[in-house]
Amino acid sequence: MPMVEYIWPLGAALGEGPLWDARSATLWFTDIKKGRVHRLDPASGQRDTFELGGQPGFIVPSDDGGFVVGRGHELLRFDGTALDAEPLATVEMAAGNRLNDAVVDSAGRLWFGSMDDGETSPSGAVYLFDRGRLARAGGECVITNGPTVTGDGRYVYHVDTLGRTIWRFDISAGDELRDGSVFARIDPADGTPDGVTIDAEDHVWVGLWGGWQARRYAPDGSLVQTVELPCANVTKLAFGGADLKTAYVTTARIGLTPAELEAQPEAGGLFAFSVDVPGVPSGILALGGGR
């Protein structure tokens, strides 16, 4: 069991979407419910917080040197300090929905999901943004999480959080999430699956909401490693550092009772632990000049 380090006691309401930006050797992540994006420079220890407002679900690097943030119903450019007022794209979805989680694949395409913010209607879905073209890919459910993509670009892993299921879709023949197979199911006693990410061996790491842990699954769906965290709501991992062998973990305080918060004062903090198998570099979103 690796030693878990508590590295930023920021008390995020809903810490999510950690991203290692290799260009600047910094970690970025969101606090969806507080409308914030955070940045950590591990080398200097500098910590910065940017007030974006709304509900920023994810942040990804883009090929203009900046980032793209998914907030509300929109994809917005972010230069590292402020959002561009004009959206790159607006996603047509139910009024009560918002964008939630995302990944950029090695081809520079953005896979991202939406969810019902009230967490009751199966109106969430996975979308693909490819050089200005926006398309709905499938994966309909109440809360989408992930997605993540294998290094060869063949498989997309998509999480149906309330269904406690991680799905695998073969996209080698197209971009739609159809005829998927169950990769893993999470027992109700173990919490619910949140964000997923891939390492260099195409093993899938998932944070367990209400489960006090992160898990690593082999490509055949077998559980091969569990890492315990000191708080219940573990949301997602990102691999950083020069060798991509530091796992950074976001967590959340939202939904915990006062008694639970007293018992887990580190909830909402950022954690880190070392891994033997490195992660893979984040893809860089190809904007393609489109808005």
Side-chain angles (χ1 to χ4, degrees):
M1 178 74 70
M3 182 177 68
V4 175
E5 183 181 1
Y6 183 40
I7 60 174
W8 191 348
L10 74 167
L14 183 52
E16 268 286 6
L19 160 75
W20 179 256
D21 179 33
R23 303 169 302 183
S24 58
T26 55
L27 182 82
W28 296 76
F29 60 101
T30 71
D31 184 341
I32 297 175
K33 292 301 182 181
K34 290 185 179 179
R36 296 171 177 169
V37 165
H38 301 286
R39 177 178 61 193
L40 170 69
D41 182 341
S44 67
Q46 181 175 343
R47 304 167 180 178
D48 299 293
T49 296
F50 304 92
E51 302 285 350
L52 302 189
Q55 298 191 75
F58 61 81
I59 178 171
V60 296
S62 52
D63 63 4
D64 62 352
F67 303 87
V68 167
V69 170
R71 187 187 70 171
H73 290 208
E74 298 176 329
L75 303 180
L76 298 160
R77 293 181 193 258
F78 177 62
D79 65 4
T81 57
L83 288 173
D84 191 332
E86 184 180 352
L88 281 166
T90 300
V91 184
E92 294 184 6
M93 54 187 180
N97 281 26
R98 64 169 175 83
L99 303 185
N100 191 46
D101 201 359
V103 69
V104 179
D105 66 21
S106 59
R109 304 180 301 174
L110 175 67
W111 298 86
F112 65 96
S114 65
M115 62 170 282
D116 172 27
D117 204 32
E119 302 184 7
T120 58
S121 172
S123 53
V126 176
Y127 298 82
L128 177 63
F129 183 73
D130 184 8
R131 292 160 178 82
R133 180 181 67 89
L134 177 64
R136 182 168 173 143
E140 289 77 9
C141 61
V142 179
I143 301 174
T144 69
N145 258 302
T148 194
V149 184
T150 53
D152 62 6
R154 178 174 180 179
Y155 294 107
V156 168
Y157 290 89
H158 154 61
V159 180
D160 174 356
T161 291
L162 295 191
R164 294 188 169 87
T165 304
I166 304 173
W167 292 89
R168 177 165 57 195
F169 295 88
D170 187 339
I171 57 168
S172 58
D175 298 333
E176 292 188 339
L177 306 190
R178 298 286 181 260
D179 302 319
S181 59
V182 173
F183 175 71
R185 293 194 191 275
I186 306 301
D187 188 284
D190 296 332
T192 56
D194 205 298
V196 288
T197 193
I198 289 277
D199 67 21
E201 293 182 345
D202 276 343
H203 284 52
V204 177
W205 283 86
V206 60
L208 293 187
W209 183 275
W212 299 78
Q213 61 186 231
R215 288 181 173 181
R216 182 177 187 242
Y217 288 88
D220 65 2
S222 60
L223 177 61
V224 295
Q225 186 177 1
T226 297
V227 179
E228 302 292 337
L229 276 293
C231 52
N233 295 335
V234 182
T235 55
K236 193 172 182 179
L237 286 71
F239 298 100
D243 58 2
L244 296 179
K245 285 189 173 183
T246 300
Y248 292 98
V249 189
T250 50
T251 65
R253 296 172 63 85
I254 192 170
L256 299 175
T257 67
E260 289 170 333
L261 288 170
E262 184 176 357
Q264 42 184 300
E266 296 174 344
L270 180 69
F271 298 84
F273 61 87
S274 297
V275 294
D276 296 326
V277 178
V280 295
S282 171
I284 306 295
L285 175 59
L287 294 174
R291 282 190 179 273

